[in-house]
Amino acid sequence: MELDFRAPLIRERLSSIKLVVPVASPKGGVGKTTIASALSVLLARSGVKTGVLDLDFTNPTTHIMLGVDTASAMPEEEKGVLPVRVEENLELMGLAFYTRDRPLPLRGHSVVDALREVLAITRWSSTVLVVDSPPGLSDALLEMLRLARGSRVLVVSACDKLSLVSTKRILEFLEHEGVAVLGVVANMCKDCRGLEEALGVKPLDCVPRFEQLREGDRDRLAELFSGTLAGVLGRVREALD
Amino acid sequence: MHEWALAEAVARTVEELVLSGRDVKHVEVVLGELQAVDEEVFRVALEELLSSLRAEKGVSVGGFTITREKALFKCNVCGHTWSLDEWGVAEEFREAIHFVPEAVHSYYSCPKCGSRDFEIVKGRGVQVRVR
Ligand SMILES: [Zn+2]
């Protein structure tokens, strides 16, 4: 009998984390990485020990948004590896540290292998794990949901018609699979009425398009989003109680 | 160290199997060439973990062996197959591949056609077989 020896270790590594929040989006370009990064910085700065996993293996960008230089930072080896400390209460792990921003073409089963490997080696010290997922119902997201049962997915959607149709599909899938949804965030949005109508849910937060956003500037990120992600932060706190 | 984490994963797997009522006579650990696991460090870690499993939880297994498997790759574009020697992995990339073998796709490509769309057929990382 051949076994996937990583499964028990993954369970143990994730057991100290109280809440896993995969941030998912129906399609690319809706600002999922921005929302995931802003959420993690705000959580960390409000005193919650927060980990960020960049699950977009073939196109990781979370480190850029969080201002982490993969040329100089590297997860430290200690009976596994420790995620890179971004600031107090905020740690980051992802394949960008290993690929050094080179392209990483992976087919489905390799994505799953890489995810299992990363989860088996990473020793988080966080209470909340924010997972920046690739767009859509990807292999990586499906595997993450399988490995971290009890996850609460935050869905990021734009308000145009194409996004809404895709968002509806994601919500239907999650409901069918019995996966809890933390809520929906409307991003780069002027008016959420269309979203409410199309999805039948009120978004947790309606985030406008911020032209002043600069990648890597966490202070600016925290400042811009401090007033706009209140609904999501409230839900995370509720889930932690 | 990483070898320790891998040994821990193997020990936990064995523990779960035994606790679920299975009689584990023998554990075969296959170390894939690509991940370049230090066999001695791994062996010492696994011995230590298995003996503390015995002492603390009364979980014991018949024995374990470590075997090695050469890495083999296959190109999805031209069909060429090759071994690790054809690349001669540079020291600077070894660590990345040691932690996540898939990182090899970022650094190397098919020696024949140059495509990065290839498969790791054999010898990727650690595998565990029990009898
Ligand atoms: Zn080829």
Side-chain angles (χ1 to χ4, degrees), chain B residues 46-120:
Chain B
L46 188 57
E47 266 165 14
E48 197 176 310
L49 287 162
L50 288 179
S51 80
S52 64
L53 258 187
R54 216 171 5 253
E56 288 159 25
K57 298 186 183 170
V59 171
S60 66
V61 296
F64 74 89
T65 47
I66 295 176
T67 50
R68 303 189 142 263
E69 188 176 79
K70 294 286 271 180
L72 184 73
F73 308 90
K74 184 172 195 286
C75 179
N76 286 320
V77 176
C78 75
H80 181 59
T81 58
W82 67 96
S83 68
L84 200 57
D85 310 334
E86 280 193 57
W87 277 333
V89 174
E91 194 57 49
E92 53 178 322
F93 305 142
R94 274 208 191 127
E95 196 181 58
I97 297 168
H98 174 58
F99 286 111
V100 185
E102 279 66 34
V104 75
H105 286 92
S106 287
Y107 300 114
Y108 293 98
S109 51
C110 169
K112 199 174 165 199
C113 78
S115 173
R116 277 185 181 164
D117 180 10
F118 60 84
E119 307 273 325
I120 307 166

Side-chain angles (χ1 to χ4, degrees), chain A residues 104-124:
Chain A
L104 183 66
L106 294 182
R107 289 176 181 247
H109 67 91
S110 298
V111 169
V112 170
D113 249 336
L115 173 59
R116 289 182 189 167
E117 208 69 34
V118 165
L119 289 179
I121 61 175
T122 308
R123 296 176 57 203
W124 300 99

Side-chain angles (χ1 to χ4, degrees), chain A residues 88-166:
Chain A
E88 205 192 341
N89 293 331
L90 187 60
E91 50 184 7
L92 170 69
M93 181 65 171
L95 284 195
F97 294 117
Y98 297 105
T99 61
R100 308 270 169 183
D101 280 339
R102 291 159 183 252
L104 183 66
L106 294 182
R107 289 176 181 247
H109 67 91
S110 298
V111 169
V112 170
D113 249 336
L115 173 59
R116 289 182 189 167
E117 208 69 34
V118 165
L119 289 179
I121 61 175
T122 308
R123 296 176 57 203
W124 300 99
S125 62
S126 295
T127 313
V128 174
L129 180 63
V130 175
V131 182
D132 188 1
S133 321
L137 297 170
S138 58
D139 289 305
L141 178 62
L142 296 180
E143 180 67 5
M144 189 70 213
L145 293 175
R146 191 183 74 81
L147 293 171
R149 292 263 159 214
S151 289
R152 299 199 193 186
V153 179
L154 180 65
V155 178
V156 177
S157 178
C159 286
D160 60 287
K161 200 160 181 185
L162 286 185
S163 296
L164 292 175
V165 168
S166 317

